[in-house]
Amino acid sequence: MDFRLNEEQMEIKRAAREFAEKEFTSELARRCDEKHEFPRDLYKKAAKLGFICPHFDEEYGGQGLGFLETILVFEEFCRVDSTLGEAIHMASFGSDYLLLFGTTDQKKKYLPKVAKGEYLSSGAITEPNHGSDILTLDTVAKKEGDYWIINGTKTFISNAPIADFIVVLCQTNPELKHRGQTLFVVDKGTEGLDVTQLKGKMGTRATINGEISFDNVRVSKDALVGEENKGFYHTLTFLDIRRMMIGGVAVGMAQGAFERALKYSKQRVQFGRPISKFQAIQHKLADMATKIEAARQLVYKAAWCLDNRSSLSLSPRELSKICSMAKLFATDTAVETITEALQIFGGYGYFKDYDLERYYRDIRITQIYEGTNEIQRNTIFGCISEGA
Ligand SMILES: Cc1cc2nc3c(=O)[nH]c(=O)nc-3n(C[C@H](O)[C@H](O)[C@H](O)COP(=O)(O)OP(=O)(O)OC[C@H]3O[C@@H](n4cnc5c(N)ncnc54)[C@H](O)[C@@H]3O)c2cc1C
């Protein structure tokens, strides 16, 4: 057993950190946060250096690396800045559906443009009446000859107002419930597709969210992703990857907040000494460092399991279990750690000047999206009770 990253992985992590430290300025982050603005130029710059989806196959614009390498990049990005890091990480949300289940033509059409930073994507699962419970959906797709007609509404969808394509989960056979759901890829500008931007978000405001309405949206049979009526099961596989990645994002944000708190504790003087000399502060920092490291190892293990899933012969339940554990533990740990980091900053943490309040707002969503942490616990219990 060897817990060390290899040379290439260390180099990727170092390069991602160097890039982020140069390009992710507080000014840009604060502007994107205040104006609900996606940092498009930064996304393109990151893509030019190969930081967007290095796990895509080389023929589709990636570097043929693993999910672990991708998460090392996002961890560093989120460490340097929570708002910009989350937005860059989220920009390709939904693309992995195509990587996993798309046809060669679909992969060729969309993935290289995502990897180059030219395209943003969305994955549309959630509906106004179906959040945690997607066993049935109100968005329906009906077959008409060689076409499918989609009707319904998806909400909270990340990137929707600026996405170039959307992978959408639809009910294709209502009687079969979750066994009758299918995925389709829909291009922006398709007739009948309407997107409204949702404002007033607490954090992660450099990611733009929207509600999508499908009014008789007509797509050809070539837009079907994966197998007909297997969309729910494809989504479970997709979410395993996503949950591990959210874990990595959370570890990055927690590490960034921790480092800021450690530095501040050595500078802030009260009662004639730096506050880092008080045991209460030392213990907080020690607990934070320990929990972040435990979360990081769980996320890396989940990524390693995903990357080696065929040789490890893990069952789908075993994979889901480790990915849900990584998301649950890393995001709960990060929320706790960032709360403590803010506490170490005292009143100064409550104002914008030190960016801690932004980390505090940004981290909170990680316990909610891609399956709430209550749903992760349900999944983990389901897996362990079946012996996975
Ligand atoms: C900023 C943001 C970005 C998002 N991006 C996307 C996106 O890109 N694509 C997409 O499809 N969706 C997206 N979502 C939606 C997100 O995944 C859902 O909000 C989430 O799955 C929860 O659904 P809900 O909000 O309807 O809450 P509900 O399902 O209504 O849950 C409400 C509460 O009840 C709890 N609960 C529900 N069922 C159970 C149960 N069985 N056991 C225990 N507790 C339960 C939940 O944990 C939660 O605490 C996004 C949401 C936000 C806020």
Side-chain angles (χ1 to χ4, degrees), residues 93 123 125-126 131-132 156-158 209 365 369-370 372 374 378:
F93 182 69
I125 306 164
T126 306
S132 300
F156 293 144
I157 309 306
S158 301
N209 291 72
I365 187 58
Y369 63 12
E370 321 240 356
T372 64
E374 290 77 16
N378 292 352

Side-chain angles (χ1 to χ4, degrees), residues 86 90 93 122-133 154-160 201 203-204 207 209 365 367-375 378:
E86 195 274 351
M90 207 60 181
F93 182 69
S122 280
I125 306 164
T126 306
E127 301 182 350
N129 293 322
H130 296 282
S132 300
D133 175 9
K154 296 285 179 182
T155 196
F156 293 144
I157 309 306
S158 301
N159 311 319
K201 216 166 30 139
T204 58
T207 297
N209 291 72
I365 187 58
Q367 291 177 310
I368 297 171
Y369 63 12
E370 321 240 356
T372 64
N373 282 8
E374 290 77 16
I375 294 303
N378 292 352

Side-chain angles (χ1 to χ4, degrees), residues 152-298:
T153 304
K154 296 285 179 182
T155 196
F156 293 144
I157 309 306
S158 301
N159 311 319
I162 50 173
D164 295 277
F165 66 93
I166 299 158
V167 179
V168 55
L169 183 64
C170 301
Q171 197 71 51
T172 35
N173 188 333
E175 281 168 24
L176 294 178
K177 297 189 175 170
H178 62 288
R179 294 188 181 86
Q181 297 177 357
T182 307
L183 292 161
F184 297 91
V185 56
V186 181
D187 289 328
K188 88 168 174 198
T190 304
E191 208 180 325
L193 190 69
D194 189 45
V195 184
T196 315
Q197 184 172 342
L198 298 172
K199 289 203 173 165
K201 216 166 30 139
M202 174 179 173
T204 58
R205 291 199 200 143
T207 297
I208 314 299
N209 291 72
E211 180 154 296
I212 312 174
S213 101
F214 296 83
D215 182 9
N216 287 316
V217 170
R218 190 177 153 94
V219 293
S220 87
K221 62 179 187 340
D222 298 336
L224 196 149
V225 179
E227 280 184 60
E228 188 176 334
N229 290 331
K230 288 274 162 55
F232 176 82
Y233 297 99
H234 292 341
T235 296
L236 295 185
T237 306
F238 166 77
L239 285 176
D240 283 345
I241 294 166
R242 292 298 314 156
R243 287 168 180 173
M244 177 281 296
M245 286 206 186
I246 294 298
V249 162
V251 167
M253 289 189 194
Q255 181 71 28
F258 163 76
E259 286 170 11
R260 282 165 172 79
L262 178 63
K263 188 171 166 205
Y264 183 81
S265 74
K266 291 179 180 170
Q267 293 165 346
R268 177 68 175 167
V269 175
Q270 289 294 286
F271 299 96
R273 326 194 252 171
I275 59 168
S276 61
K277 297 283 180 202
F278 300 127
Q279 198 179 47
I281 300 290
Q282 292 171 356
H283 285 185
K284 273 190 202 301
L285 289 161
D287 285 349
M288 287 155 79
T290 306
K291 288 176 187 170
I292 293 169
E293 186 56 22
R296 180 178 290 115
Q297 293 308 324
L298 195 49

Side-chain angles (χ1 to χ4, degrees), residues 131-166:
S132 300
D133 175 9
I134 56 161
L135 287 173
T136 59
L137 296 168
D138 296 330
T139 300
V140 289
K142 279 194 183 146
K143 208 185 257 178
E144 268 189 26
D146 279 350
Y147 291 86
W148 289 87
I149 313 295
I150 306 174
N151 279 289
T153 304
K154 296 285 179 182
T155 196
F156 293 144
I157 309 306
S158 301
N159 311 319
I162 50 173
D164 295 277
F165 66 93
I166 299 158

